[in-house]
Amino acid sequence: MKRTALTIALGLLATGQAQKVQVPVPIGIALAQTSNTALLGQEQVIGARLAEKHINAHGGIGGTPIKLIFQDAAGDENSAINAFQNLIGKGNVVGIVGPTLSQQAFAADPIAERAKVPVLGPSNTAKGIPQIGDYIARVSAPVAVVAPNAIKQALKLDPKIKKVAVLYAQNDAFSTSETGTFQDAAKAQGLNVATVQKFQTTDTDFTTQVTSVLNADVDLVIISGLAADGGNLVKQLRQLGYKGLIVGGNGLNTSNIFPVCQKYCDGVIIAQAYSPAQPSASNQLFVKEYRAQYKKDPPQFAAQAYAGVQVMVDALKVLDRQKKLAQWDLDDLRAALNKQILAGKYNTPLGELRFDKEGEIMQKEFYVAQIKMKDAKNGTFVFLK
Amino acid sequence: MEPSQLLQNLLNGLAIGSVYAIFALGYTLVFSILGIINFAHGAVFTLGAYFTYTLVVGQFENNGLLKGINLFPNGSPFSGNPWLFALATLLGAALAGLVAVLIERLAFRPMRSRGADPLLALVSSLGVALVVVNLIQLLVGAEIYNFPSDAYGQVQPALSFHVGEKVVIIRTVQLIIFAVSLVMLAILGYVIGRTRVGKALRAVAENPGTASLLGISVDRFILITFFLSGFLGGLAGTLVGTAFGVAGPYFGVTYGLKGLAVIVLGGLGSIPGAVVGGLVIGLAEAFVPSQYSAYKDAVAYALLFVILLVRPQGLLGRAQIQKV
């Protein structure tokens, strides 16, 4: 009796360990579909869905379709952790693209690391994300690389800039990380950081900060925030009479900012990790598909989520050629996929990209653009060379 | 502090404080009648802004079930001059008032008729708030919507004047908010203090049972209260939306919490208290040094805490007297 029970238990354990990869191949998407962060997350969801549609329309992975399993990671750490746990435990996904925010990544990525499930961060740009673990990589360039270019461009446009005001969202890991880079870059260029102002991503009234900026009599304002708060800040700066140049960080690199600051967006310089004008075939195809559906240029967040799914699928294609995915044990595939992601070279809408051994993105091209508004609601990011 | 800085902070504080006041009045009205906090008030505030935006613009972006809709192919009849915009604002507030009435019917009345604990009604209103906010996102997405700059005609974005050698600047929209808030507070004060409806409302607030015996339809006046509360919340939503943009479905949450602080500070159930509380918190936030302005919410709540230690009934609240 005991022996039979033991045999059954061992049998169950063995089948539990040797779970096969499901078909269609499930890829987890843990992004913000609700909360304030949904403004970014819904763009990412669009990007991921476009990637899924395009990949499956072109034969999937060696004839096997993929299926994106969506879990709402909202805008807080707990929701991200829950989403990751559901995708790993119930969804049996081969890998995860997500979460939306850096601070969520610091909380949720260790869950995937312990379960040995590869993660691609689509928009986590804070310092230290790839170092969370062996299974964590990102397709979003760290701010340290992107931000300084914008200050150099501002100095090209106005060489007389001497005094700078820096404003940042202190409750956002990405913004606090980015502002440090901006401040170092400004000092490295010999500029005097006259005032540093903090705000919260949930703030709407920036009168206090703007008044201080005006009193400091600066030539350049640098903002690290997200589209809602950053756009509002731009608007209030202009309405209250600030006339100098404004540099916006990566969080402002979205067409969602246009309806926020409207005509006041005009002239804002943005450091970009993605540009719709990037000429690669992969990007132009993505831009065409996005425009056809949404009648505007794709924002960076959509492009990065698209790239995240594409990188995972391209790596899976290599593994599929070794052995059909349906024949892999799930745990083995997850481990092999993680290795393959780091080994490959990818042509994505972000341009050509690879990863270093820690999972840090090595992106070939970065851009600086200036916003040109066509009317109250529509604008474009014009390349600055 | 220099006189110019003092005046600048004072103007900033009065502008935002008057919004807090008008928003908190909605909370106070319901509390004074039913003795409960309506947590859905923040969602009604958000709805007010969205209703006005729908009337003034009539188009929504790419996410949500209403994407691509265009209510006014030939341009909105409510856009282009300040009076039409004001009309849209009042209509938006009225629609928000109707939603508040609906919330009363769905979330509060069933609880009241069963004699449920007030705490259940509070939780029920919290549930309604979450449903409303998520419904907004489902319909129009999480985008930030901004009223077009020409929606209320050609208005100078800001006014400036000198105080000594320094310039004091205030956005025109802040002045409008302050003026509208003052007018609304005066109207409400008149309605509550000088009209038959106001008398009936005060009677219901004092003692619903006695009011009912005097022939006052308690349920009807509770509905009127909710309508007024929703109207004020919706109006505050549009005012804030005009000044700072309609910052997504969740943008009423912060104001909801702040409004709560305002009515506790002013004194639960006190209408003048809501006004004073709103202005005190607005001014406290404005006088936080700019380099620490990200902590202005913390300062507002710390102030609330300190004042409650000294006056547990709030600034203008009445102390509870227990007869033994």
Side-chain angles (χ1 to χ4, degrees):
Chain A
M1 187 71 191
K2 270 184 186 171
R3 193 177 294 172
T4 313
L6 193 67
T7 310
I8 290 169
L10 284 171
L12 283 173
L13 207 63
T15 52
Q17 280 178 329
Q19 190 179 6
K20 293 287 179 197
V21 173
Q22 292 173 2
V23 173
V25 180
I27 296 172
I29 306 290
L31 298 169
Q33 295 176 54
T34 58
S35 86
N36 275 336
T37 315
L39 181 69
L40 313 175
Q42 68 187 11
E43 289 294 353
Q44 294 177 308
V45 167
I46 288 170
R49 283 199 195 283
L50 280 174
E52 179 186 37
K53 192 175 156 193
H54 176 80
I55 288 158
N56 282 339
H58 290 80
I61 302 166
T64 307
I66 62 164
K67 183 170 191 260
L68 300 187
I69 313 284
F70 285 87
Q71 280 280 320
D72 179 19
D76 62 296
E77 289 83 340
N78 278 340
S79 300
I81 288 168
N82 284 339
F84 269 51
Q85 283 173 332
N86 284 337
L87 289 169
I88 295 164
K90 293 180 198 162
N92 297 318
V93 298
V94 296
I96 296 173
V97 176
T100 299
L101 300 178
S102 292
Q103 64 239 39
Q104 290 180 297
F106 287 120
D109 284 357
I111 307 278
E113 178 66 23
R114 281 196 292 275
K116 296 189 166 33
V117 176
V119 173
L120 278 172
S123 51
N124 316 141
T125 52
K127 199 175 167 183
I129 296 282
Q131 289 74 28
I132 290 170
D134 294 342
Y135 280 76
I136 314 302
R138 59 175 164 190
V139 293
S140 40
V143 290
V145 180
V146 185
N149 298 337
I151 295 181
K152 286 177 190 159
Q153 281 291 355
L155 282 165
K156 264 191 201 174
L157 292 172
D158 183 3
K160 292 200 290 290
I161 291 172
K162 291 278 180 289
K163 284 168 83 180
V164 182
V166 175
L167 300 100
Y168 72 97
Q170 66 157 22
N171 62 330
D172 178 56
F174 152 76
S175 296
T176 48
S177 177
E178 187 185 61
T179 195
T181 308
F182 267 134
Q183 289 179 51
D184 292 346
K187 286 169 191 161
Q189 295 289 332
L191 302 174
N192 166 23
V193 179
T195 178
V196 177
Q197 300 286 318
K198 305 180 188 85
F199 58 90
Q200 310 266 10
T201 50
T202 49
D203 282 355
T204 50
D205 180 7
F206 299 100
T207 318
T208 311
Q209 290 91 338
V210 173
T211 305
S212 291
V213 169
L214 294 172
N215 287 337
D217 197 26
V218 296
D219 318 301
L220 174 69
V221 169
I222 300 169
I223 299 169
S224 291
L226 302 176
D229 43 304
N232 236 325
L233 190 44
V234 168
K235 182 169 100 173
Q236 287 171 47
L237 274 164
R238 293 297 188 212
Q239 284 189 330
L240 286 166
Y242 174 71
K243 291 190 170 60
L245 282 173
I246 298 175
V247 165
N250 209 237
L252 277 68
N253 182 24
T254 164
S255 49
N256 283 328
I257 196 178
F258 300 153
V260 183
C261 41
Q262 299 181 355
K263 64 180 181 187
Y264 301 108
C265 302
D266 203 66
V268 172
I269 299 164
I270 304 275
Q272 295 182 308
Y274 168 73
S275 167
Q278 203 272 345
S280 73
S282 171
N283 184 45
Q284 287 315 304
L285 185 72
F286 165 64
V287 170
K288 193 176 146 194
E289 284 177 352
Y290 188 96
R291 274 188 194 148
Q293 210 160 328
Y294 297 100
K295 310 287 178 282
K296 64 175 186 178
D297 281 340
Q300 178 178 303
F301 293 97
Q304 286 175 325
Y306 186 103
V309 174
Q310 192 198 322
V311 164
M312 211 162 263
V313 168
D314 285 356
L316 285 166
K317 282 177 179 172
V318 175
L319 300 175
D320 184 70
R321 285 196 287 272
Q322 293 169 16
K323 183 168 75 172
K324 290 307 282 177
L325 292 182
Q327 293 165 16
W328 283 78
D329 288 344
L330 181 58
D331 289 346
D332 293 346
L333 182 73
R334 284 168 170 175
L337 174 61
N338 189 55
K339 283 200 185 92
Q340 185 54 47
I341 284 171
L342 300 188
K345 190 165 80 172
Y346 309 91
N347 289 310
T348 71
L350 308 176
E352 187 186 297
L353 57 93
R354 290 181 294 117
F355 299 92
D356 70 8
K357 62 180 190 307
E358 283 189 318
E360 183 64 276
I361 184 175
M362 295 196 290
Q363 194 172 330
K364 237 181 168 177
E365 295 170 88
F366 295 105
Y367 320 90
V368 179
Q370 193 165 28
I371 295 175
K372 287 277 174 264
M373 293 303 288
K374 294 173 194 162
D375 55 43
K377 260 175 63 179
N378 301 295
T380 53
F381 292 99
V382 178
F383 259 138
L384 292 176
K385 289 201 171 64
Chain B
M1 190 180 287
E2 292 178 22
S4 62
Q5 189 65 50
L6 185 77
L7 186 62
Q8 181 76 63
N9 289 348
L10 198 65
L11 290 171
N12 295 346
L14 288 174
I16 196 65
S18 60
V19 172
Y20 292 159
I22 201 170
F23 176 78
L25 273 172
Y27 263 143
T28 292
L29 279 173
V30 170
F31 184 85
S32 61
I33 298 283
L34 294 180
I36 51 172
I37 299 289
N38 173 18
F39 269 120
H41 195 55
V44 172
F45 163 96
T46 306
L47 271 176
Y50 275 96
F51 283 141
T52 307
Y53 182 85
T54 306
L55 292 167
V56 172
V57 179
Q59 288 182 61
F60 292 99
E61 296 291 330
N62 298 314
N63 296 291
L65 298 176
L66 296 181
K67 68 180 174 193
I69 195 173
N70 186 357
L71 294 177
F72 311 111
N74 302 320
S76 166
F78 296 102
S79 183
N81 86 54
W83 301 112
L84 292 171
F85 188 85
L87 179 62
T89 302
L90 293 174
L91 284 171
L95 288 168
L98 291 175
V99 171
V101 166
L102 194 66
I103 288 170
E104 197 280 327
R105 295 300 300 267
L106 295 175
F108 288 97
R109 187 173 295 188
M111 300 279 175
R112 213 170 51 248
S113 61
R114 294 192 195 108
D117 191 298
L119 183 65
L120 292 180
L122 185 137
V123 174
S124 169
S125 72
L126 196 58
V128 170
L130 286 170
V131 168
V132 169
V133 163
N134 281 282
L135 200 61
I136 294 170
Q137 188 175 322
L138 183 70
L139 289 172
V140 300
E143 278 91 348
I144 301 141
Y145 291 100
N146 240 310
F147 293 101
S149 45
D150 59 354
Y152 30 86
Q154 294 302 317
V155 179
Q156 275 283 97
L159 305 171
S160 60
F161 51 91
H162 279 82
V163 175
E165 288 191 353
K166 291 276 181 179
V167 176
V168 174
I169 306 167
I170 185 152
R171 293 167 73 209
T172 315
V173 75
Q174 288 178 295
L175 285 175
I176 292 167
I177 284 174
F178 188 53
V180 170
S181 300
L182 284 181
V183 169
M184 287 312 300
L185 294 175
I187 291 172
L188 189 74
Y190 175 78
V191 168
I192 299 282
R194 302 291 173 106
T195 66
R196 286 169 61 89
V197 169
K199 271 185 187 167
L201 283 173
R202 279 181 289 142
V204 172
E206 195 63 42
N207 191 322
T210 309
S212 186
L213 288 172
L214 291 168
I216 296 169
S217 167
V218 172
D219 277 345
R220 191 157 66 93
F221 278 96
I222 285 174
L223 282 183
I224 289 171
T225 304
F226 267 86
F227 177 80
L228 284 173
S229 162
F231 183 90
L232 291 169
L235 182 69
T238 298
L239 291 176
V240 171
T242 309
F244 311 124
V246 185
Y250 294 82
F251 100 118
V253 173
T254 315
Y255 286 89
L257 289 171
K258 201 65 69 71
L260 211 55
V262 166
I263 61 168
V264 173
L265 180 69
L268 281 169
S270 162
I271 286 174
V275 177
V276 171
L279 293 177
V280 166
I281 284 193
L283 287 167
E285 286 182 1
F287 277 90
V288 174
S290 65
Q291 62 270 37
Y292 302 113
S293 57
Y295 300 105
K296 64 179 189 286
D297 286 351
V299 168
Y301 288 105
L303 178 75
L304 169 72
F305 180 67
V306 169
I307 287 177
L308 288 183
L309 283 178
V310 182
R311 278 186 68 83
Q313 70 272 37
L315 291 171
L316 302 184
R318 280 182 296 185
Q320 293 281 346
I321 298 168
Q322 281 197 323
K323 292 181 181 173
V324 289

